[in-house]
Amino acid sequence: MASLASSKPHPHLLDQVLVEDNSFSKTLILNRPKQLNALSRQMVSRLFELFLAYEKDPNVKLLLLKGNGRAFCAGGDVAAVVRDIREANWKSGAEYFRKEFTLNYIMATYTKPQVSILDGIVMGGGAGASIHGRFRVATENSVFAMPETALGLFPDVGASYYLSRLPGFFGEYVGLTGARLDGAEMLLCGLATHLVPSAKLPLLEEALVNLDSSDPARISAIIDEYSERPYLKGKSAYRRLDVIDKCFSLRTVEAILSALEKEAVNITEDWFSAAIQSLKKASPTSLKISLKSVRLQHTFD
């Protein structure tokens, strides 16, 4: 894997991922706020290099990852990949995804704790850069979604793994419809490990960067000090797991949509009608691939 990393990063890489040197940790800041910190090729390469380097550094006990602006990360820079394809440079796009997916693997198997501060938008590739880490801190500003089926794609970045491990068939609901979840929903379904008010984040970060330890129990205890109990909104989809399980447990996309339409006679919540409309507008092929990928992961449990 080391062959994928470059020893001398281009100066442009340094601007898109900022690094704060702390006593016992490193804080990595995704820095494309105008693009909602969408992961560019340069950002993926820089994160790749930094994660590999810090894993070998005994002075680095943990990594903090956050975004500059109102997003943690809104996903991969798909627009750049599309431009490459239109210019007959599909190999560049393939290399982008190869390195991004390898970065996801590194994060998932990392030997040091990664604390991701999800204070804002977390979508697509942004989920891949955080959910695989040990700690995911949501706030009242968090907005999570996997919107790929609306784009003719499917939830990648290891999403079939973590979506399949959500309660019941909530992962199928999230992956197929692209539904948006708030911080409380993220915590309750397991996408987040903690829920911290955004006003307390500076205090939390200060406590973490001064911790001379990689012990997950000590890190978790610190985050717990600043955490709050989740408040689930009255019309949250997570309150209707019974209906979600009934419909999204079915074997095919067609059966799921048919079941939802039958249930719509008695359910008038906005999230329910939005789910039906999302399925009708999404790419049929994307829906089938997405469902199959999550279902296959269920068989590995």
Side-chain angles (χ1 to χ4, degrees):
M1 264 191 255
S3 63
L4 293 176
S6 167
S7 59
K8 293 183 179 181
H10 189 279
H12 187 47
L13 300 183
L14 306 179
D15 297 332
Q16 295 189 18
V17 179
L18 305 179
V19 179
E20 292 181 354
D21 293 314
N22 310 307
S23 299
F24 309 107
S25 65
K26 301 287 185 180
T27 301
L28 310 183
I29 306 171
L30 307 181
N31 189 41
R32 295 182 75 206
K34 292 183 179 179
Q35 294 80 22
L36 300 178
N37 297 322
L39 290 173
S40 66
R41 184 177 295 105
Q42 293 84 359
M43 292 171 78
V44 171
S45 295
R46 182 60 173 154
L47 287 170
F48 192 101
E49 294 171 352
L50 292 172
F51 268 77
L52 288 181
Y54 295 149
E55 189 164 31
K56 299 175 183 177
D57 188 342
N59 296 315
V60 177
K61 305 298 184 180
L62 65 92
L63 296 182
L64 276 76
L65 184 61
K66 63 181 184 177
N68 183 12
R70 65 188 184 93
F72 169 75
C73 174
D77 193 352
V78 179
V81 175
V82 171
R83 285 196 299 271
D84 287 338
I85 293 173
R86 288 176 175 172
E87 295 171 1
N89 187 19
W90 65 267
K91 289 185 178 180
S92 179
E95 172 62 16
Y96 169 84
F97 286 115
R98 182 178 75 95
K99 183 166 281 190
E100 182 187 22
F101 297 159
T102 307
L103 175 63
N104 298 150
Y105 175 80
I106 290 173
M107 290 176 167
T109 59
Y110 211 58
T111 58
K112 297 180 180 181
Q114 174 187 338
V115 181
S116 298
I117 308 296
L118 309 178
D119 187 33
I121 298 169
V122 187
M123 296 184 180
S130 56
I131 303 300
H132 298 298
R134 186 66 178 263
F135 299 103
R136 292 92 60 189
V137 179
T139 75
E140 75 278 6
N141 300 319
S142 299
V143 180
F144 177 94
M146 298 299 295
E148 284 83 359
T149 59
L151 306 174
L153 302 172
F154 60 92
D156 51 7
V157 297
S160 61
Y161 176 84
Y162 57 76
L163 290 178
S164 71
R165 283 155 176 79
L166 301 189
F169 293 86
F170 195 66
E172 279 88 337
Y173 160 71
V174 172
L176 294 179
T177 67
R180 298 189 175 194
L181 309 181
D182 63 21
E185 291 168 325
M186 290 176 66
L187 178 66
L188 290 171
C189 78
L191 288 169
T193 59
H194 296 81
L195 182 65
V196 175
S198 59
K200 293 185 179 180
L201 289 179
L203 294 174
L204 170 61
E205 292 179 37
E206 182 179 1
L208 288 174
V209 300
N210 289 318
L211 177 65
D212 183 12
S213 175
S214 294
D215 182 1
R218 294 184 63 184
I219 295 170
S220 184
I222 289 176
I223 304 176
D224 286 341
E225 293 179 15
Y226 300 92
S227 297
E228 65 178 9
R229 295 173 63 88
Y231 168 73
L232 194 60
K233 295 176 181 178
K235 294 185 178 180
S236 168
Y238 200 72
R239 291 186 180 274
R240 298 305 308 269
L241 286 179
D242 57 334
V243 177
I244 288 175
D245 287 351
K246 179 180 179 181
C247 297
F248 284 87
S249 62
L250 298 176
R251 292 184 60 187
T252 67
V253 172
E254 292 83 359
I256 290 171
L257 181 56
S258 177
L260 288 169
E261 290 177 327
K262 290 178 182 177
E263 293 290 335
V265 176
N266 301 313
I267 301 177
T268 59
E269 285 100 330
D270 290 343
W271 71 267
F272 198 81
S273 58
I276 293 174
Q277 292 305 312
S278 295
L279 292 178
K280 288 183 175 180
K281 293 178 181 178
S283 161
T285 302
S286 295
L287 291 173
K288 291 177 183 295
I289 293 173
S290 301
L291 181 61
K292 182 73 176 269
S293 66
V294 176
R295 288 288 160 80
L296 283 174
Q297 283 293 333
H298 278 303
T299 66
F300 297 147
D301 290 343

